[in-house]
Amino acid sequence: MSIQTSVLGELLQRSTQLRPQLYFKSSLTALSHAMEDQVLASDAQPLIIASFQKERFYRQEAHRYERIAAITPHVYVLAAPETSFTNASRDYETIAFDPTDQLSREWHLVVIGPKYSTCLICQERQNLPAAGAETPHLLAMDQTRRFEGIWTFDPEVSRQAAEILLDRIGIYRPEIAAKLAEAKAQFVGQMPATRDVDPDPFAQRLVTYLQAGQYKLQKAYRSIAAKEQQERLVNLITSAMRQSLDPNEIFKVAVNELGAAMQADRCLIYRGKATDREVTISHEFLSRANLPSLLGQIWPLANHRLFQAVAQQQESISIVNTQAANSNDSIDLAPLAEQIQRWQIGAWLIVPIVYQGRLLGVIELHQAEPQSWSTDGLGLVEAVAAQLGVALIQAESYANLEDLNQQLEALERTRSNLIAITGHELRTPLSTIQVCLESLASEPDMLPELRQVMLSTALTDAERMRKLVQDFITLSRLESGRVEWHLEPVAIDECVTLALSSLRTRQSETQLPQVTAEMMRELPPVRADGERLVEVLSKLLDNACKFTQPDGTVLITAQPNGGKMLEVTIADTGRGIEPNRLETVFDRFYQEEGALRRTTGGTGLGLAICRQIVKGLGGQIWAESAGRDQGSRFHFTLPLAQESLELNIPALNGSAEKAAKRRASRKRAALG
Ligand code: ADP
């Protein structure tokens, strides 16, 4: 059964003087609770009729109705059933109306006692959404649902409302007609003796509800303000990110804004990986002049328990009181005692800057006095940390891109260089060879001496071409990592001897400067690839001789450098290198006089090859010179093979026997 007429409409027809008013749902809840509390506070036995739009609304109040039913026998509760609400006569009468009934749009509460009457008869202004259609958004809007209707202490209006409702209940539940007639006779048929209303519990309850509402509002305002602040800060950082890709610029904005927003005594933002041992602080916000500044200070991270914990868990950590932290925290702050005291840290908040599981840095907030950190505040710092994570990754990607660009430019330079070299270096000897061979072929009567000159010129130039091609292939292999290293303990003096004899074989016709090797006795062996090492020594010796007059000298020395390396030096008294070229000489194709005006021969690839080999062997190579005509010194280091010798470990890529064979074959090659 579904009745389509409204109780409110009927009441307004009967009492034309009534003017309906608008109520929010929250107001109706407060009024209803106050009315019910008034019943509970008195010892009278009133008539109570309550109509809920849905079973679920009734459920929230069911316990109150049980308490009310203990006071008075005339309690009638109406609701549209959803799960288990049915017509029943238990502690009180329940009346289940059809969900399509007009009652499902209404909210009624009628209380008629011997001394006072009150009623609330309202109708919702808009239709409720269909069952199951509520979205979280609609639920959030629940408190702002609006009703229109009457709330009054007027006994006449209350009696009329009670009569309308009792008549309806009679239609839904004819079986309790007798009880309803009794209720009518007792509460509707006669006017209450007095209108002696005790407003106190009613007013008390209303005030409590108003207060609670106010608190809720305040909380909502606070959270809106926090969200607004968060949004503002994040926007600020985003716009800083848009203006600059430099993390320093972004950190500068973030540290000040965040420090001020969090009212922190100190705010630090720094970059750091989990493995970093320390960091120099370059971004700090300080709110008080009397607090020591950490700017420019080294901030140790290795023993920074909080940093370590944050790096490991990738979650924020807050310490309310650094002095009391030991008692209830899993993190022992004892190792930080000195920092805590020196930098006056009473409370600590540390938030990781993480991007896709990678720790990029940290935000630290310090308060001189102990204080708890609010959830909103923590949310704000974490939101900023997330933005900074993006900023850092953006900057990193940009730097990578720039790096890549530079590599591409270098590649392009190499390519052009290669074209120039090929154009000149290969074409020049090639045309010489061609001219020589053509002459030999076309002039059979050529003098034997001239014929000899032609032949040897062609051979020299062919050798020059072969070297260029060879060096270029070697360097390409080294640079692309396509080299197999035969690491073994190698005696440096043995390699120097090999390099020297190969130099003398190659340069037998040139007048060389005086070359001496002054090696310490019993030098520890190095762990290296012997053949490659001889190649480095040969190239450096070649250069030293090439750029030194025959009356000059070349000196080879070697000595241990620190604990784990051996340093080899090849010093000459030749033409020297300008200080600003000491690095450039290692570039591919670098030649002081330029590739196309070469007088000394060579490919310009020798030092580049040396650097690649030394790097591959785990050492470093560098040049020193006091300048033009001041001689040059080329140094390189190699790791000592001590450990492998002591433990009698054979070479990495083969047995000791194989290594000995290789040494022997090298010696033969150099001598032969
Ligand atoms: P190159 O085949 O031209 O010798 P390198 O790569 O070996 O190529 O050397 C590059 C350049 O570095 C040389 O052309 C020369 O200008 C300079 N250089 C190398 N070694 C010396 C040295 N011992 N003294 C002076 N200049 C040197």
Side-chain angles (χ1 to χ4, degrees):
M1 176 192 320
S2 169
I3 302 172
Q4 290 305 312
T5 50
S6 137
V7 173
L8 176 69
E10 224 174 307
L11 183 64
L12 291 176
Q13 265 175 11
R14 287 195 191 186
S15 311
T16 45
Q17 83 287 1
L18 291 176
R19 292 281 162 267
Q21 196 189 318
L22 265 185
Y23 296 95
F24 283 114
K25 184 192 165 183
S26 49
S27 314
L28 289 190
T29 311
L31 279 171
S32 303
H33 282 183
M35 285 162 75
E36 289 154 6
D37 283 357
Q38 199 176 23
V39 171
L40 288 166
S42 106
D43 48 8
Q45 294 194 333
L47 161 73
I48 313 281
I49 309 170
S51 177
F52 295 90
Q53 292 173 287
K54 290 182 179 206
E55 181 183 331
R56 82 185 74 150
F57 301 142
Y58 152 74
R59 292 245 161 264
Q60 291 168 9
E61 311 296 337
H63 64 286
R64 299 176 132 258
Y65 279 84
E66 276 154 24
R67 282 166 59 208
I68 291 173
I71 297 176
T72 171
H74 284 288
V75 180
Y76 303 86
V77 174
L78 301 93
E82 286 174 310
T83 52
S84 55
F85 192 84
T86 50
N87 285 339
S89 302
R90 282 190 291 267
D91 297 348
Y92 48 91
E93 301 294 338
T94 51
I95 301 99
F97 56 80
D98 193 294
T100 60
D101 196 291
Q102 200 44 232
L103 279 178
S104 67
R105 292 188 57 218
E106 302 189 352
W107 177 319
H108 309 308
L109 179 58
V110 179
V111 179
I112 301 191
K115 291 190 175 168
Y116 74 94
S117 317
T118 171
C119 78
L120 179 67
I121 303 290
C122 287
Q123 185 176 40
E124 188 161 5
R125 284 204 101 185
Q126 282 144 350
N127 277 335
L128 267 180
E134 281 114 323
T135 61
H137 172 67
L138 279 170
L139 283 175
M141 301 288 288
D142 192 52
Q143 289 304 316
T144 55
R145 278 163 51 196
R146 283 181 301 170
F147 290 78
E148 194 170 26
I150 310 292
W151 168 69
T152 178
F153 273 112
D154 186 328
E156 186 48 37
V157 177
S158 305
R159 278 168 53 226
Q160 282 184 9
E163 192 174 15
I164 297 169
L165 280 165
L166 285 171
D167 285 347
R168 289 220 174 180
I169 295 169
I171 301 171
Y172 298 116
R173 298 223 21 217
E175 74 279 10
I176 57 165
K179 187 174 176 184
L180 293 170
E182 185 196 317
K184 258 193 189 175
Q186 191 180 340
F187 299 101
V188 182
Q190 49 191 334
M191 286 288 278
T194 56
R195 292 178 58 179
D196 180 15
V197 180
D198 177 9
D200 198 41
F202 188 82
Q204 290 288 344
R205 191 68 192 186
L206 258 186
V207 168
T208 311
Y209 272 92
L210 283 175
Q211 296 275 58
Q214 204 55 37
Y215 278 124
K216 267 190 199 154
L217 264 180
Q218 253 183 21
K219 215 173 138 190
Y221 283 143
R222 264 208 307 273
S223 123
I224 290 171
K227 284 221 166 65
E228 214 181 318
Q229 195 182 35
Q230 180 165 329
E231 219 159 87
R232 194 187 64 83
L233 243 175
V234 170
N235 281 345
L236 222 108
I237 294 168
T238 320
S239 78
M241 276 161 67
R242 257 190 237 123
Q243 280 162 21
S244 164
L245 275 166
D246 178 3
N248 288 323
E249 290 293 321
I250 299 162
F251 278 18
K252 210 161 91 188
V253 174
V255 81
N256 286 318
E257 293 294 331
L258 185 63
M262 288 292 290
Q263 297 178 340
D265 287 340
R266 184 187 292 114
C267 178
L268 306 176
I269 301 184
Y270 52 82
R271 300 171 80 163
K273 298 188 297 294
T275 47
D276 285 353
R277 304 199 58 76
E278 57 185 35
V279 66
T280 306
I281 300 296
S282 24
H283 299 283
E284 182 191 47
F285 163 88
L286 264 192
S287 70
R288 301 210 242 143
N290 59 352
L291 215 61
S293 168
L294 264 155
L295 219 55
Q297 297 283 338
I298 296 212
W299 193 231
L301 300 179
N303 71 343
H304 188 331
R305 287 288 167 97
L306 295 177
F307 175 83
Q308 293 301 333
V310 158
Q312 209 178 15
Q313 300 157 14
Q314 304 209 334
E315 268 173 26
S316 313
I317 293 179
S318 59
I319 306 279
V320 173
N321 183 354
T322 52
Q323 302 306 320
N326 284 352
S327 54
N328 53 4
D329 262 292
S330 54
I331 299 167
D332 177 16
L333 293 185
L336 291 171
E338 199 231 302
Q339 266 142 290
I340 289 174
Q341 204 205 354
R342 180 165 173 211
W343 304 109
Q344 300 176 26
I345 309 171
W348 212 328
L349 177 65
I350 169 156
V351 174
I353 302 174
V354 179
Y355 188 82
Q356 291 188 344
R358 213 177 108 204
L359 182 80
L360 303 172
V362 154
I363 301 179
E364 287 194 25
L365 294 177
H366 303 165
Q367 296 296 23
E369 300 300 327
Q371 78 147 47
S372 55
W373 303 93
S374 71
T375 325
D376 284 343
L378 180 64
L380 177 65
V381 187
E382 285 180 343
V384 170
Q387 285 300 306
L388 293 181
V390 175
L392 283 175
I393 287 294
Q394 246 181 38
E396 197 177 274
S397 316
Y398 183 70
N400 283 346
L401 212 69
E402 277 213 317
D403 251 24
L404 221 67
N405 232 350
Q406 274 171 9
Q407 277 178 32
L408 277 176
E409 276 174 17
L411 260 174
E412 178 54 29
R413 267 201 309 276
T414 311
R415 202 180 61 89
S416 321
N417 265 333
L418 190 63
I419 292 169
I421 291 275
T422 328
H424 183 79
E425 292 301 318
L426 295 183
R427 204 158 1 96
T428 314
L430 201 64
S431 32
T432 315
I433 294 166
Q434 200 176 3
V435 168
C436 290
L437 295 180
E438 270 171 12
S439 313
L440 285 169
S442 59
E443 292 177 38
D445 305 332
M446 192 185 281
L447 286 172
E449 300 86 63
L450 195 54
R451 180 184 294 267
Q452 193 52 45
V453 170
M454 290 283 175
L455 274 172
S456 70
T457 308
L459 279 171
T460 310
D461 278 20
E463 170 60 15
R464 207 164 134 191
M465 278 175 74
R466 190 195 61 78
K467 251 176 93 181
L468 182 68
V469 173
Q470 171 78 43
D471 274 1
F472 195 73
I473 291 172
T474 308
L475 186 61
S476 304
R477 286 217 179 110
L478 283 162
E479 283 182 347
S480 60
R482 284 180 290 129
V483 174
E484 207 189 325
W485 298 97
H486 301 285
L487 295 179
E488 56 187 313
V490 172
I492 190 75
D493 50 350
E494 202 182 306
C495 294
V496 169
T497 311
L498 286 173
L500 277 174
S501 67
S502 118
L503 169 80
R504 295 211 166 97
T505 322
R506 275 180 285 119
Q507 313 267 0
S508 56
E509 264 137 64
T510 349
Q511 213 193 334
L512 293 176
Q514 188 198 340
V515 185
T516 347
E518 275 178 17
M519 314 294 279
M520 267 172 65
R521 270 207 210 152
E522 292 172 12
L523 270 177
V526 289
R527 186 169 178 74
D529 179 321
E531 272 166 45
R532 301 271 174 209
L533 179 50
V534 172
E535 199 176 342
V536 171
L537 284 165
S538 300
K539 285 197 188 307
L540 293 179
L541 273 172
D542 265 1
N543 279 349
C545 294
K546 205 158 61 180
F547 300 112
T548 305
Q549 298 299 329
D551 58 352
T553 58
V554 175
L555 178 63
I556 313 161
T557 54
Q559 71 251 333
N561 165 341
K564 295 183 174 155
M565 308 294 273
L566 183 86
E567 182 175 327
V568 182
T569 305
I570 293 166
D572 64 55
T573 56
R575 78 175 194 195
I577 301 168
E578 295 294 344
N580 62 347
R581 295 280 168 217
L582 289 171
E583 253 309 297
T584 336
V585 289
F586 292 95
D587 287 354
R588 280 169 290 183
F589 299 118
Y590 172 80
Q591 288 183 319
E592 198 193 86
E593 52 281 81
L596 307 179
R597 288 186 290 116
R598 175 117 33 89
T599 51
T600 47
T603 59
L605 294 174
L607 288 180
I609 291 177
C610 290
R611 175 159 276 182
Q612 287 295 328
I613 294 178
V614 173
K615 228 168 87 185
L617 294 175
Q620 281 182 311
I621 185 167
W622 69 100
E624 287 175 356
S625 173
R628 183 159 289 279
D629 297 326
Q630 303 291 308
S632 318
R633 279 182 314 284
F634 282 83
H635 305 263
F636 67 89
T637 56
L638 291 172
L640 292 177
Q642 246 162 14
E643 273 174 51
S644 52
L645 272 193
E646 273 164 24
L647 302 173
N648 200 19
I649 297 174
L652 260 190
N653 304 54
S655 64
E657 200 182 333
K658 262 191 188 160
K661 267 192 194 150
R662 267 199 305 276
R663 269 201 297 274
S665 85
R666 273 203 309 271
K667 213 169 231 171
R668 271 198 307 281
L671 297 174

